C-alpha cells in the first residue's frame, strides 16, 4: 500500500510513500529492540560524535530539506530553512548529553548510594503535519542521546522530510535500526506504538482528542508518555504597551504557518481604553501580510495543509461570525485562506473557544488586569501566550497568573531549543527541549553498595 503526497499550494502530487502495515511496524519495532543493547553500549563520547555528525549532515542538506518542506507542507521557504536549522541545532544541543547524563552520589549509612539515568528502550515518536521537522527532532534527538532507539511515524500528509532525515542519519553513521522512520496511518502505525510491549515510551504531538486516547492506551502497560497537544493562546495587550509594536507583530503571532501552530496567539485581548486605537493599527498590519507562493523568498504565509483542513477552518467563518477585516490570498489551485480578523465577538463563540488552527484571530476587549487573566484562562488549553505592557511588575504578575507553559513578554517567542516547552491543563503532559528533556527519556535507577566497616 502507498499514499500520495500532495503539494498544498498547487494540489499536485509530489511523491508516493509506502503505507506501513501492522506486521511491518512490528518488524521495525523488533529491529529497534534488537539494536538497543549495542546502541546503549556505544561509549558516551562516540554517541556524542555520531549525533554531531548527524547535525553536520543536516546542516549540509538545509536547502534540500527546506525545499522538500515547501513542496510537501506549503511552509514558506524562510520558515522551512529555519525548521531544518532547528533540527541541526537540537541535534547539536543534545550531542552534549551522552557525556553529561549525570547520576547522583547520595550520602547514606553503611555504604555508598548511586543513581543512574538509564535509557528506556525503544521510543515511538508520533509527529503531526504542522511542523514535521522540528517536532520530529525534539523527539528523536534527546531520545537517541539518552541511549534509546527510535521508531518515528510522520503524519500521513507530510512524511518527506522525516524520510530524508533518516537517510542523513545513516550517512552520518547512525545504524539503520537505531533510528527508523516508518510512514503510515496513525490508526495503524501510531496505534501499534501504543500497544506494542517493546515500545517503552510514546512521544506524541497532535490533537488533544488523539492525545487522550494515547494516554489511556499507554496506561495499560504503564508506558511512559509525553504529550504536546492543542492550544488556544492569548495575546494580552495592556493600554500602557507599545501599541505600534504590539499591533505590528500580532498578525505574525497567529498567521505564521497559516495559523497551523499550537502556539498561535489566536485570541487578542486588548484593554478597552485602547481597543479602537489598536484595531486601527492592526488593520494595515494584517493587509501587509504577504500571502503568496511559499517557495518565493519574502512570502510570509502559505496555504493550509489540505482540502479537509481548509473546510474545517472555513466552517469557523460563517454567517454567525463577525469579520472585522481580512488580508489577501491567491486564487486558483491550492488550499488558500486569507488572514481573517474576527470582532466584535463574545467569549462563547466557537471561533473563540475552539482551536481553529488556521489564519483566524478573534479580538476581545478587557477592563483590567484581573479581567485579562480571567479571559486568558477561560479555556481548557494552556500552552503559550504573550503579554504586552511597559509595567514590569504587571508583566510578572500576569505571567504568573496565566495558566500556560510558555509565556513571552513584549514578544511572541515560545520556542528555543535550550529552554523547556510544553503545556498546562489539556495542552499536554511533560516538557520537551531544554536541559531537562533527558529526564523524559530515562528512568532513574538507584544502587546501594554496602561497605563493611573494618
Ligand atoms: P492528529 O489526528 O492528532 O494527528 C497527529 C499524529 O497522530 C499524526 O501522525 C496522526 O497520524 C497520528 N494519529 C492519529 N490517530 C492516531 C491514533 N489513534 N493512534 C496513534 N496515532 C494517531 O491531528 P490531525 O488530525 O493532524 O489534526 C487535527 C487537529 O489537531 C488540528 O486541526 C489541530 O487543532 C490539532 N493539532 C495540534 C497540533 C499541535 O502541534 N499541538 C498538531 C497538529 C494538529 P495520521 O497522519 O495518519 O493522521
Ligand atoms: Mg486526525
Amino acid at each position: 500500500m502507498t499514499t500520495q503526497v500532495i503539494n498544498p499550494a498547487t494540489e499536485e502530487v509530489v511523491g508516493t510513500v509506502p503505507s506501513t502495515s501492522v506486521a511491518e511496524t512490528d518488524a521495525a519495532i523488533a529491529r529497534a529492540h534488537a539494536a538497543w543493547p549495542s546502541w546503549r553500549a556505544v561509549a558516551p563520547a562516540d554517541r556524542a560524535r555520531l549525533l554531531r555528525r548527524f547535525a553536520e549532515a543536516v546542516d549540509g542538506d538545509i536547502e534540500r530539506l527546506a525545499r522538500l518542506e515547501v513542496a510537501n507542507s506549503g511552509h514558506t521557504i524562510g520558515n522551512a530553512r529555519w525548521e531544518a536549522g532547528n533540527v541541526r541545532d537540537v541535534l547539536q544541543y543534545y550531542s552534549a548529553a551522552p557525556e553529561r547524563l549525570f547520576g547522583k552520589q547520595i550520602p547514606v549509612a553503611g555504604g555508598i548510594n548511586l543513581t543512574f539515568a538509564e535509557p528506556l528502550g525503544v521510543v515511538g515518536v508520533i509527529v503531526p503535519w504542522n511542523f514535521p521537522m522540528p517536532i520530529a527532532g525534539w523527539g528523536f534527538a534527546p531520545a537517541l542521546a539518552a541511549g534509546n532507539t527510535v521508531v518515528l511515524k510522520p503524519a500521513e500528509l507530510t512524511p518527506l522530510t522525516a524520510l530524508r532525515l533518516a537517510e542523513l542519519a545513516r550517512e552520518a553513521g547512525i545504524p539503520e535500526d537505531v533510528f527508523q522512520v516508518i510512514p503510515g496511518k496513525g490508526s495503524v502505525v501510531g496505534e501499534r506504538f501504543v500497544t506494542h510491549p517493546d515500545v517503552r515510551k510514546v512521544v506524541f504531538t497532535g490533537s488533544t482528542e488523539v492525545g487522550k486516547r494515547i494516554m489511556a492506551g499507554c496506561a495499560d502497560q504503564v508506558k511512559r508518555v509525553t504529550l504536546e497537544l492543542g492550544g488556544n493562546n492569548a495575546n494580552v495587550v495592556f493600554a500602557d504597551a507599545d501599541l505600534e509594536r504590539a499591533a505590528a507583530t500580532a498578525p505574525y503571532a497567529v498567521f505564521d504557518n497559516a495559523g497551523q501552530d499550537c502556539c498561535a496567539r489566536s485570541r487578542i485581548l486588548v484593554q478597552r481604553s485602547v481597543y479602537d486605537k489598536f484595531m486601527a493599527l492592526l488593520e494595515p498590519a494584517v493587509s501587509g501580510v504577504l500571502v503568496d507562493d511559499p517557495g518565493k523568498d519574502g512570502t510570509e504565509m502559505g496555504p493550509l495543509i489540505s482540502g479537509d483542513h481548509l473546510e474545517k477552518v472555513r466552517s469557523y467563518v460563517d454567517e454567525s461570525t463577525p469579520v472585522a477585516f481580512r488580508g489577501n490570498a491567491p486564487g486558483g489551485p491550492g488550499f488558500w485562506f486569507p488572514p481573517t480578523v474576527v470582532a466584535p465577538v463574545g467569549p462563547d463563540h466557537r471561533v473563540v473557544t475552539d482551536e481553529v488552527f488556521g489564519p483566524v484571530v478573534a479580538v476581545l476587549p478587557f477592563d483590567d488586569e484581573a479581567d485579562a487573566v480571567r479571559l486568558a484562562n477561560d479555556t481548557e488549553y494552556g500552552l503559550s501566550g504573550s503579554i504586552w505592557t511597559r509595567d514590569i511588575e504587571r508583566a510578572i504578575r500576569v505571567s504568573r497568573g496565566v495558566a500556560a507553559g510558555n509565556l513571552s513578554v513584549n514578544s511572541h517567542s515560545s520556542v528555543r531549543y535550550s529552554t523547556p516547552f510544553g503545556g498546562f491543563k489539556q495542552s499536554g503532559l511533560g516538557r520537551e527541549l531544554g536541559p531537562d528533556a533527558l529526564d523524559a527519556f530515562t528512568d532513574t535507577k538507584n544502587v546501594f553498595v554496602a561497605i563493611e566497616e573494618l
Side-chain angles (χ1 to χ4, degrees):
M1 278 234 310
T2 57
T3 315
Q4 285 191 332
V5 178
I6 308 290
N7 181 331
T10 62
E11 301 180 44
E12 284 161 5
V13 177
V14 289
T16 303
V17 297
S19 197
T20 309
S21 68
V22 171
E24 289 161 339
T25 304
D26 283 358
I29 293 168
R31 288 193 299 273
H33 185 63
W36 181 45
S38 51
W39 178 245
R40 68 181 297 194
V42 171
D46 292 334
R47 208 176 328 128
R49 217 181 327 273
L50 284 166
L51 291 172
R52 283 197 293 273
R53 276 169 52 177
F54 188 3
E56 281 157 26
V58 172
D59 191 51
D61 208 60
I62 297 254
E63 194 58 24
R64 178 167 169 179
L65 284 165
R67 290 285 163 198
L68 212 48
E69 202 67 281
V70 172
N72 188 169
S73 308
H75 289 197
T76 64
I77 184 66
N79 278 8
R81 288 185 185 122
W82 182 90
E83 290 158 14
N86 180 256
V87 177
R88 171 203 56 212
D89 294 344
V90 170
L91 278 165
Q92 186 78 38
Y93 182 73
Y94 288 110
S95 73
E99 294 174 283
R100 292 170 178 78
L101 267 181
F102 304 125
K104 287 185 175 127
Q105 182 274 116
I106 301 171
V108 291
I112 57 171
N113 192 93
L114 304 170
T115 68
F116 296 86
E118 301 280 20
L120 303 170
V122 181
V123 172
V125 182
I126 302 173
V127 181
W129 46 258
N130 60 332
F131 288 109
M133 282 193 277
I135 291 172
W138 303 355
F140 69 66
L144 293 172
N148 304 282
T149 56
V150 171
V151 286
L152 182 144
K153 191 204 91 66
E156 248 202 309
L157 295 172
T158 58
L160 297 186
T161 48
L163 288 164
R164 178 67 190 144
L165 287 168
E167 288 174 5
L168 294 168
R170 282 203 294 281
E171 284 173 20
I174 294 187
E176 193 169 347
D177 295 342
V178 166
F179 174 45
Q180 299 175 73
V181 171
I182 40 181
K185 283 191 186 309
S187 55
V188 178
V189 181
E191 189 88 38
R192 197 63 188 127
F193 290 178
V194 174
T195 58
H196 197 301
D198 285 339
V199 176
R200 296 295 181 174
K201 154 118 198 177
V202 172
V203 180
F204 172 82
T205 305
S207 62
T208 296
E209 184 194 352
V210 174
K212 285 177 184 175
R213 287 192 46 183
I214 300 227
M215 189 173 173
C218 285
D220 197 44
Q221 295 164 13
V222 197
K223 191 171 291 197
R224 277 78 180 126
V225 62
T226 299
L227 303 173
E228 297 291 357
L229 309 176
N232 187 1
N233 312 294
N235 176 8
V236 185
V237 182
F238 285 95
D240 69 351
D242 179 341
L243 284 188
E244 279 74 19
R245 211 150 62 84
T249 56
Y252 300 96
V254 59
F255 302 141
D256 189 62
N257 206 32
Q260 304 165 120
D261 181 345
C262 44
C263 289
R265 274 63 164 174
S266 52
R267 295 181 298 146
I268 306 179
L269 311 180
V270 184
Q271 197 152 16
R272 203 178 296 276
S273 58
V274 294
Y275 183 89
D276 290 341
K277 186 173 175 201
F278 181 84
M279 288 302 270
L281 291 165
L282 184 64
E283 184 161 10
V286 168
S287 41
V289 177
L290 190 59
V291 186
D292 201 351
D293 173 358
K296 253 193 348 213
D297 276 310
T299 294
E300 293 176 322
M301 189 182 118
L304 292 167
I305 189 66
S306 67
D308 284 351
H309 192 56
L310 175 62
E311 282 319 306
K312 183 188 155 192
V313 171
R314 199 176 268 152
S315 78
Y316 281 100
V317 186
D318 60 13
E319 316 76 59
S320 77
T321 318
V323 172
F325 42 85
R326 311 187 88 160
N328 306 299
F335 309 121
W336 301 95
F337 195 85
T340 301
V341 178
V342 175
V345 64
D348 299 328
H349 193 288
R350 59 193 277 270
V351 79
V352 179
T353 57
D354 287 15
E355 180 184 46
V356 177
F357 226 58
V360 180
V361 67
V363 192
L364 292 93
F366 68 84
D367 292 312
D368 57 16
E369 207 177 293
D371 195 29
V373 171
R374 183 189 59 76
L375 266 174
N377 287 338
D378 187 18
T379 168
E380 269 315 306
Y381 292 112
L383 191 56
S384 75
S386 304
I387 297 134
W388 289 78
T389 175
R390 287 189 170 104
D391 179 339
I392 182 69
E393 293 183 38
R394 167 179 288 154
I396 298 295
R397 266 195 315 269
V398 176
S399 299
R400 300 300 302 271
V402 175
N406 299 83
L407 294 166
S408 49
V409 175
N410 298 330
S411 102
H412 299 293
S413 90
S414 298
V415 172
R416 286 187 176 76
Y417 59 79
S418 57
T419 60
F421 176 78
F424 278 34
K425 301 195 296 191
Q426 293 196 28
S427 283
L429 189 73
R431 290 294 176 272
E432 300 191 284
L433 300 175
D436 302 327
L438 279 299
D439 293 350
F441 295 101
T442 54
D443 264 340
T444 301
K445 178 180 287 172
N446 193 69
V447 177
F448 170 73
V449 183
I451 301 176
E452 237 180 293
E453 287 199 30
L454 292 177

